[in-house]
mmCIF file of all heavy atoms in Angstrom:
data_model
loop_
_atom_site.group_PDB
_atom_site.id
_atom_site.type_symbol
_atom_site.label_atom_id
_atom_site.label_comp_id
_atom_site.label_asym_id
_atom_site.label_seq_id
_atom_site.Cartn_x
_atom_site.Cartn_y
_atom_site.Cartn_z
ATOM 1 N N GLN A 1080 -6.608 1.541 9.127
ATOM 2 C CA GLN A 1080 -6.145 2.590 8.231
ATOM 3 C C GLN A 1080 -4.668 2.877 8.456
ATOM 4 O O GLN A 1080 -3.904 3.106 7.515
ATOM 5 C CB GLN A 1080 -6.982 3.853 8.452
ATOM 6 C CG GLN A 1080 -8.426 3.720 7.987
ATOM 7 C CD GLN A 1080 -9.274 4.918 8.397
ATOM 8 O OE1 GLN A 1080 -8.811 5.814 9.093
ATOM 9 N NE2 GLN A 1080 -10.532 4.905 7.979
ATOM 10 N N GLY A 1081 -4.262 2.870 9.743
ATOM 11 C CA GLY A 1081 -2.856 3.120 10.048
ATOM 12 C C GLY A 1081 -1.954 2.024 9.524
ATOM 13 O O GLY A 1081 -0.887 2.292 8.962
ATOM 14 N N VAL A 1082 -2.371 0.770 9.685
ATOM 15 C CA VAL A 1082 -1.597 -0.352 9.154
ATOM 16 C C VAL A 1082 -1.461 -0.226 7.645
ATOM 17 O O VAL A 1082 -0.384 -0.416 7.073
ATOM 18 C CB VAL A 1082 -2.262 -1.701 9.527
ATOM 19 C CG1 VAL A 1082 -1.636 -2.848 8.751
ATOM 20 C CG2 VAL A 1082 -2.140 -1.945 11.023
ATOM 21 N N GLY A 1083 -2.572 0.117 6.992
ATOM 22 C CA GLY A 1083 -2.539 0.299 5.544
ATOM 23 C C GLY A 1083 -1.594 1.412 5.129
ATOM 24 O O GLY A 1083 -0.914 1.319 4.098
ATOM 25 N N ARG A 1084 -1.528 2.455 5.943
ATOM 26 C CA ARG A 1084 -0.642 3.575 5.637
ATOM 27 C C ARG A 1084 0.823 3.138 5.707
ATOM 28 O O ARG A 1084 1.639 3.506 4.862
ATOM 29 C CB ARG A 1084 -0.884 4.717 6.617
ATOM 30 C CG ARG A 1084 -0.149 6.005 6.272
ATOM 31 C CD ARG A 1084 -0.454 7.087 7.294
ATOM 32 N NE ARG A 1084 -1.887 7.307 7.419
ATOM 33 C CZ ARG A 1084 -2.446 8.039 8.375
ATOM 34 N NH1 ARG A 1084 -1.692 8.592 9.313
ATOM 35 N NH2 ARG A 1084 -3.746 8.204 8.416
ATOM 36 N N VAL A 1085 1.153 2.330 6.720
ATOM 37 C CA VAL A 1085 2.531 1.855 6.854
ATOM 38 C C VAL A 1085 2.897 0.944 5.681
ATOM 39 O O VAL A 1085 3.964 1.080 5.073
ATOM 40 C CB VAL A 1085 2.717 1.092 8.184
ATOM 41 C CG1 VAL A 1085 4.130 0.510 8.273
ATOM 42 C CG2 VAL A 1085 2.455 2.016 9.367
ATOM 43 N N ILE A 1086 2.006 0.011 5.355
ATOM 44 C CA ILE A 1086 2.278 -0.919 4.259
ATOM 45 C C ILE A 1086 2.410 -0.171 2.940
ATOM 46 O O ILE A 1086 3.300 -0.462 2.125
ATOM 47 C CB ILE A 1086 1.164 -1.983 4.185
ATOM 48 C CG1 ILE A 1086 1.229 -2.874 5.433
ATOM 49 C CG2 ILE A 1086 1.285 -2.816 2.911
ATOM 50 C CD1 ILE A 1086 0.088 -3.857 5.554
ATOM 51 N N ALA A 1087 1.542 0.823 2.723
ATOM 52 C CA ALA A 1087 1.622 1.624 1.494
ATOM 53 C C ALA A 1087 2.941 2.372 1.417
ATOM 54 O O ALA A 1087 3.551 2.481 0.338
ATOM 55 C CB ALA A 1087 0.448 2.596 1.431
ATOM 56 N N TYR A 1088 3.393 2.885 2.554
ATOM 57 C CA TYR A 1088 4.664 3.614 2.585
ATOM 58 C C TYR A 1088 5.818 2.710 2.160
ATOM 59 O O TYR A 1088 6.647 3.081 1.315
ATOM 60 C CB TYR A 1088 4.912 4.165 3.994
ATOM 61 C CG TYR A 1088 6.347 4.552 4.250
ATOM 62 C CD1 TYR A 1088 6.864 5.754 3.767
ATOM 63 C CD2 TYR A 1088 7.202 3.704 4.969
ATOM 64 C CE1 TYR A 1088 8.196 6.092 3.988
ATOM 65 C CE2 TYR A 1088 8.522 4.035 5.192
ATOM 66 C CZ TYR A 1088 9.013 5.239 4.704
ATOM 67 O OH TYR A 1088 10.322 5.573 4.919
ATOM 68 N N VAL A 1089 5.881 1.507 2.744
ATOM 69 C CA VAL A 1089 6.970 0.594 2.419
ATOM 70 C C VAL A 1089 6.896 0.173 0.958
ATOM 71 O O VAL A 1089 7.906 0.146 0.242
ATOM 72 C CB VAL A 1089 6.933 -0.643 3.344
ATOM 73 C CG1 VAL A 1089 7.968 -1.677 2.902
ATOM 74 C CG2 VAL A 1089 7.192 -0.226 4.789
ATOM 75 N N LYS A 1090 5.699 -0.142 0.483
ATOM 76 C CA LYS A 1090 5.530 -0.574 -0.907
ATOM 77 C C LYS A 1090 5.950 0.521 -1.885
ATOM 78 O O LYS A 1090 6.710 0.271 -2.835
ATOM 79 C CB LYS A 1090 4.072 -0.965 -1.156
ATOM 80 C CG LYS A 1090 3.776 -1.399 -2.593
ATOM 81 C CD LYS A 1090 2.350 -1.884 -2.724
ATOM 82 C CE LYS A 1090 1.355 -0.769 -2.469
ATOM 83 N NZ LYS A 1090 -0.055 -1.218 -2.686
ATOM 84 N N GLU A 1091 5.479 1.730 -1.657
ATOM 85 C CA GLU A 1091 5.799 2.829 -2.562
ATOM 86 C C GLU A 1091 7.285 3.159 -2.535
ATOM 87 O O GLU A 1091 7.889 3.462 -3.581
ATOM 88 C CB GLU A 1091 4.970 4.063 -2.189
ATOM 89 C CG GLU A 1091 3.480 3.897 -2.497
ATOM 90 C CD GLU A 1091 2.624 4.956 -1.834
ATOM 91 O OE1 GLU A 1091 3.206 5.909 -1.253
ATOM 92 O OE2 GLU A 1091 1.388 4.833 -1.879
ATOM 93 N N ALA A 1092 7.897 3.092 -1.335
ATOM 94 C CA ALA A 1092 9.329 3.382 -1.230
ATOM 95 C C ALA A 1092 10.153 2.333 -1.966
ATOM 96 O O ALA A 1092 11.167 2.650 -2.605
ATOM 97 C CB ALA A 1092 9.738 3.455 0.239
ATOM 98 N N MET A 1093 9.716 1.064 -1.911
ATOM 99 C CA MET A 1093 10.436 0.012 -2.624
ATOM 100 C C MET A 1093 10.265 0.160 -4.132
ATOM 101 O O MET A 1093 11.223 0.000 -4.895
ATOM 102 C CB MET A 1093 9.948 -1.361 -2.160
ATOM 103 C CG MET A 1093 10.335 -1.693 -0.725
ATOM 104 S SD MET A 1093 9.794 -3.344 -0.186
ATOM 105 C CE MET A 1093 10.910 -4.388 -1.149
ATOM 106 N N LEU A 1094 9.052 0.484 -4.570
ATOM 107 C CA LEU A 1094 8.815 0.677 -6.004
ATOM 108 C C LEU A 1094 9.616 1.842 -6.557
ATOM 109 O O LEU A 1094 10.090 1.812 -7.694
ATOM 110 C CB LEU A 1094 7.319 0.888 -6.265
ATOM 111 C CG LEU A 1094 6.420 -0.342 -6.113
ATOM 112 C CD1 LEU A 1094 4.956 0.051 -6.203
ATOM 113 C CD2 LEU A 1094 6.752 -1.381 -7.186
ATOM 114 N N ALA A 1095 9.766 2.882 -5.731
ATOM 115 C CA ALA A 1095 10.509 4.072 -6.169
ATOM 116 C C ALA A 1095 12.015 3.901 -6.026
ATOM 117 O O ALA A 1095 12.781 4.750 -6.488
ATOM 118 C CB ALA A 1095 10.050 5.285 -5.365
ATOM 119 N N GLY A 1096 12.438 2.820 -5.385
ATOM 120 C CA GLY A 1096 13.862 2.584 -5.210
ATOM 121 C C GLY A 1096 14.467 3.272 -4.007
ATOM 122 O O GLY A 1096 15.684 3.220 -3.806
ATOM 123 N N ARG A 1097 13.622 3.890 -3.179
ATOM 124 C CA ARG A 1097 14.144 4.549 -1.984
ATOM 125 C C ARG A 1097 14.480 3.534 -0.897
ATOM 126 O O ARG A 1097 15.292 3.813 -0.025
ATOM 127 C CB ARG A 1097 13.140 5.579 -1.453
ATOM 128 C CG ARG A 1097 12.850 6.723 -2.410
ATOM 129 C CD ARG A 1097 12.076 7.838 -1.722
ATOM 130 N NE ARG A 1097 10.819 7.370 -1.162
ATOM 131 C CZ ARG A 1097 9.673 7.303 -1.841
ATOM 132 N NH1 ARG A 1097 9.645 7.657 -3.117
ATOM 133 N NH2 ARG A 1097 8.563 6.871 -1.268
ATOM 134 N N LEU A 1098 13.828 2.398 -0.939
ATOM 135 C CA LEU A 1098 14.123 1.308 -0.021
ATOM 136 C C LEU A 1098 14.458 0.067 -0.828
ATOM 137 O O LEU A 1098 13.746 -0.282 -1.776
ATOM 138 C CB LEU A 1098 12.928 1.007 0.890
ATOM 139 C CG LEU A 1098 12.664 1.965 2.049
ATOM 140 C CD1 LEU A 1098 11.376 1.568 2.772
ATOM 141 C CD2 LEU A 1098 13.827 1.977 3.031
ATOM 142 N N GLN A 1099 15.531 -0.594 -0.459
ATOM 143 C CA GLN A 1099 15.965 -1.801 -1.132
ATOM 144 C C GLN A 1099 16.325 -2.849 -0.088
ATOM 145 O O GLN A 1099 16.562 -2.512 1.082
ATOM 146 C CB GLN A 1099 17.164 -1.507 -2.035
ATOM 147 C CG GLN A 1099 16.860 -0.522 -3.150
ATOM 148 C CD GLN A 1099 18.064 -0.255 -4.034
ATOM 149 O OE1 GLN A 1099 19.076 -0.954 -3.958
ATOM 150 N NE2 GLN A 1099 17.963 0.761 -4.878
ATOM 151 N N PRO A 1100 16.367 -4.132 -0.486
ATOM 152 C CA PRO A 1100 16.753 -5.159 0.471
ATOM 153 C C PRO A 1100 18.065 -4.809 1.166
ATOM 154 O O PRO A 1100 19.041 -4.443 0.514
ATOM 155 C CB PRO A 1100 16.884 -6.411 -0.401
ATOM 156 C CG PRO A 1100 15.897 -6.179 -1.509
ATOM 157 C CD PRO A 1100 15.990 -4.704 -1.799
ATOM 158 N N GLY A 1101 18.051 -4.915 2.479
ATOM 159 C CA GLY A 1101 19.232 -4.568 3.268
ATOM 160 C C GLY A 1101 19.143 -3.203 3.903
ATOM 161 O O GLY A 1101 19.881 -2.905 4.855
ATOM 162 N N ASP A 1102 18.259 -2.333 3.395
ATOM 163 C CA ASP A 1102 18.105 -0.996 3.967
ATOM 164 C C ASP A 1102 17.366 -1.078 5.299
ATOM 165 O O ASP A 1102 16.461 -1.893 5.478
ATOM 166 C CB ASP A 1102 17.333 -0.082 3.016
ATOM 167 C CG ASP A 1102 18.151 0.324 1.801
ATOM 168 O OD1 ASP A 1102 19.381 0.081 1.815
ATOM 169 O OD2 ASP A 1102 17.580 0.868 0.851
ATOM 170 N N ARG A 1103 17.740 -0.182 6.204
ATOM 171 C CA ARG A 1103 17.124 -0.140 7.527
ATOM 172 C C ARG A 1103 16.043 0.936 7.549
ATOM 173 O O ARG A 1103 16.244 2.051 7.047
ATOM 174 C CB ARG A 1103 18.191 0.161 8.580
ATOM 175 C CG ARG A 1103 17.771 -0.125 10.008
ATOM 176 C CD ARG A 1103 18.939 0.162 10.955
ATOM 177 N NE ARG A 1103 20.150 -0.512 10.542
ATOM 178 C CZ ARG A 1103 20.407 -1.799 10.762
ATOM 179 N NH1 ARG A 1103 19.519 -2.539 11.411
ATOM 180 N NH2 ARG A 1103 21.527 -2.351 10.352
ATOM 181 N N LEU A 1104 14.899 0.603 8.114
ATOM 182 C CA LEU A 1104 13.839 1.589 8.285
ATOM 183 C C LEU A 1104 14.216 2.579 9.381
ATOM 184 O O LEU A 1104 15.111 2.318 10.199
ATOM 185 C CB LEU A 1104 12.524 0.901 8.648
ATOM 186 C CG LEU A 1104 11.881 0.029 7.567
ATOM 187 C CD1 LEU A 1104 10.687 -0.722 8.144
ATOM 188 C CD2 LEU A 1104 11.449 0.866 6.381
ATOM 189 N N LEU A 1105 13.532 3.707 9.407
ATOM 190 C CA LEU A 1105 13.746 4.674 10.472
ATOM 191 C C LEU A 1105 13.469 4.030 11.829
ATOM 192 O O LEU A 1105 12.703 3.063 11.911
ATOM 193 C CB LEU A 1105 12.795 5.864 10.296
ATOM 194 C CG LEU A 1105 13.054 6.822 9.127
ATOM 195 C CD1 LEU A 1105 11.891 7.800 9.004
ATOM 196 C CD2 LEU A 1105 14.370 7.558 9.321
ATOM 197 N N PRO A 1106 14.070 4.538 12.898
ATOM 198 C CA PRO A 1106 13.724 4.030 14.227
ATOM 199 C C PRO A 1106 12.213 4.111 14.446
ATOM 200 O O PRO A 1106 11.530 4.974 13.885
ATOM 201 C CB PRO A 1106 14.471 4.967 15.171
ATOM 202 C CG PRO A 1106 15.633 5.451 14.358
ATOM 203 C CD PRO A 1106 15.117 5.574 12.952
#
């Protein structure tokens, strides 16, 4: 469930444009 939560976060952020190629994730 935790892995799914992380993957969902990255996917949704990319779809929304909050994360783009080259962007760094939080520490």
Side-chain angles (χ1 to χ4, degrees):
Q1080 291 172 356
V1082 168
R1084 188 180 305 169
V1085 176
I1086 293 173
Y1088 162 79
V1089 173
K1090 178 175 65 176
E1091 290 166 8
M1093 291 181 71
L1094 288 172
R1097 297 191 302 273
L1098 284 175
Q1099 298 180 12
D1102 288 348
R1103 195 178 308 281
L1104 292 173
L1105 290 172

